[in-house]
Amino acid sequence: MGHPGRQVISEYRELVLVALAAALGLIVQSPLHWVVRHQGIDVFLVILVFSTSLSIAPRSLRQLPSAWRQIGLALMVGITLLPALSWLMAQMVAPGPLRDGVSTIGLAPCEVASIATTAMAGGDVALAGGVLIGSTLLTVVLAGPVLAVEATGTSLDPWHILLNLLGIVGAPLAAGVLLRFVVTLPDRLDGLASATSTLSVAVLVALVAAQVHFATTYLLVLAAIVLFLLGSAALGLLVRRGAPPGAKRALLLTISMRDFAIAAGLATAAFGARAAAPLGLYGIAVLVWGTGSAGFMRARKANY
């Protein structure tokens, strides 16, 4: 029988790693600012998407048509209720760039890292990939019109967003899935891909944490972000009712985790660079939530 303390550390090692990465990002900011200025977030997103897509087995993708109801429901919630929820939570914050930034969270697609956290949780990675692809396309098509309604006079270039998302999400995702169709990966490479995904998530947490500069004005921003997380998790729990265990874990994580990096890009394009500041806090919170809940579900797979 293993030592209880070691077992807990093993089950929550990703959460510990993310927490350490967040602390590092808050403390050592200047070098990480340099990395971000040189497209560091995009580079590590590409690494994360590619490495996690390697965990999507071809036979799993063939099962996606049978999950069309679950995928459709997750996408419907993601493009209707979540934008409304983030707009509502944003009203807690004084008018200005910080409020605008919070309001964009619900418009983002599901977090790229939700594929990795779904894999960590032992969930249906193919289902998570289907939700990711669908939600990304919906964000590209609908984010501009929704933001135009929320802020009169605001316009977005959907083609610029589409090209950006194709480069950092679509291309590496397609490359990883295609590689799995062509080549049978040995178990050792599967383990390496999983470790790379976990480390990429940790690096992204450090990079976004380095963008946070605490001030009293951020207290309401933090409260709005926490309430949005709780609300999106509640919606995920509602949507997953009646689904198989693997799908339950995938639906909870993809609905409750929105992509902080894409949200930051939307906020900057629509409202200016200052509006992206809250997304650093959200990035830390959502990745800690996703990693921690994945470890919890993995440890109690029979019940979740």
Side-chain angles (χ1 to χ4, degrees):
M1 184 175 179
H3 190 278
R6 291 179 182 174
Q7 183 178 358
V8 171
I9 291 174
S10 175
E11 290 172 354
Y12 294 97
R13 60 185 180 275
E14 291 91 0
L15 178 57
V16 173
L17 184 60
V18 167
L20 291 174
L24 178 66
L26 292 171
I27 296 170
V28 185
Q29 294 192 329
S30 295
L32 297 179
H33 286 167
W34 183 90
V35 175
V36 171
R37 288 197 301 271
H38 290 79
Q39 309 303 314
I41 289 178
D42 286 354
V43 168
F44 281 99
L45 277 174
V46 170
I47 295 172
L48 174 63
V49 173
F50 178 74
S51 60
T52 53
S53 68
L54 293 177
S55 64
I56 304 177
R59 64 179 181 275
S60 298
L61 290 178
R62 298 187 186 101
Q63 299 170 0
L64 280 181
S66 64
W68 68 269
R69 283 189 177 86
Q70 295 163 344
I71 294 175
L73 184 56
L75 295 180
M76 184 63 65
V77 169
I79 204 59
T80 57
L81 297 182
L82 289 179
L85 180 62
S86 65
W87 179 86
L88 183 62
M89 295 301 102
Q91 305 313 302
M92 298 173 56
V93 183
L98 294 181
R99 174 188 283 188
D100 294 335
V102 173
S103 70
T104 63
I105 297 173
L107 285 168
C110 78
E111 172 61 58
V112 173
S114 64
I115 298 181
T117 54
T118 297
M120 293 174 195
D124 188 337
V125 178
L127 176 59
V131 176
L132 170 64
I133 295 169
S135 64
T136 299
L137 293 175
L138 286 175
T139 293
V140 171
V141 173
L142 298 177
V146 173
L147 283 175
V149 171
E150 292 184 355
T152 304
T154 296
S155 61
L156 290 175
D157 182 356
W159 293 110
H160 171 74
I161 297 172
L162 174 61
L163 290 175
N164 186 57
L165 295 182
L166 285 175
I168 65 174
V169 177
L173 181 63
V177 171
L178 180 61
L179 183 60
R180 284 301 304 265
F181 269 103
V182 175
V183 179
T184 301
L185 298 180
D187 291 341
R188 183 173 60 182
L189 285 183
D190 271 341
L192 178 61
S194 177
T196 301
S197 297
T198 301
L199 289 174
S200 299
V201 170
V203 172
L204 285 166
V205 170
L207 292 178
V208 297
Q211 312 310 306
V212 176
H213 302 282
F214 287 110
T216 55
T217 52
Y218 276 82
L219 293 177
L220 286 177
V221 172
L222 183 59
I225 286 171
V226 170
L227 289 174
F228 175 81
L229 262 176
L230 291 173
S232 58
L235 288 172
L237 289 172
L238 183 63
V239 168
R240 76 179 205 154
R241 293 183 62 184
K248 281 185 175 181
R249 294 186 281 274
L251 289 170
L252 173 60
L253 290 166
T254 52
I255 290 174
S256 64
M257 297 179 69
R258 312 319 289 174
D259 194 291
F260 64 92
I262 295 174
L266 289 172
T268 300
F271 305 112
R274 291 183 60 196
L279 284 309
L281 284 176
Y282 177 72
I284 298 170
V286 76
L287 291 177
V288 169
W289 149 255
T291 309
S293 58
F296 180 84
M297 287 186 285
R298 181 181 60 203
R300 295 161 178 82
K301 189 176 293 188
N303 297 323
Y304 289 88

